[in-house]
Amino acid sequence: MHPGFAIALVFITAIVTIGIVLKSLIDARYRRGAAQSEELDANRRVELLSSENASLKSQLGRLEERLAVLERIATDPAERTAREIEQLR
């Protein structure tokens, strides 16, 4: 084997190895950035869903109160309901 050929072969092998290592580092950095972005998106979705959940709980509480009033009106004797309405006037 010619000495120049051996040096060229070592040089080419070194360049290819460095290229593979650099590509691996770049891919790892990209995956880490994508994972962080997905985590932020997930956290934002949790915040939005928590906010919506609190709003729906509040709305449900108000509807339960209204339902209780309607049930009382429907089940109470008409005389008592009329008396309470008069008291409100």
Side-chain angles (χ1 to χ4, degrees):
M1 197 182 331
H2 192 276
F5 178 74
I7 293 174
L9 186 60
V10 169
F11 187 68
I12 290 171
T13 304
I15 290 175
V16 169
T17 304
I18 291 170
I20 290 171
V21 169
L22 288 176
K23 183 181 181 321
S24 296
L25 291 173
I26 291 170
D27 287 347
R29 178 178 279 174
Y30 173 75
R31 282 192 302 268
R32 189 175 342 128
Q36 288 174 347
S37 176
E38 288 174 6
E39 184 178 321
L40 290 176
D41 289 343
N43 288 340
R44 179 69 178 141
R45 282 192 301 254
V46 167
E47 289 176 13
L48 291 172
L49 289 173
S50 296
S51 174
E52 182 182 11
N53 190 27
S55 173
L56 291 173
K57 282 183 178 181
S58 173
Q59 184 179 8
L60 179 62
R62 289 190 307 271
L63 290 173
E64 286 174 340
E65 290 173 6
R66 292 177 71 184
L67 180 61
V69 169
L70 292 173
E71 286 175 342
R72 196 182 86 230
I73 290 171
T75 58
D76 280 353
E79 183 180 305
R80 189 164 103 188
T81 304
R83 189 175 49 235
E84 288 180 5
I85 292 173
E86 284 301 319
Q87 288 176 353
L88 293 174
R89 289 183 186 180

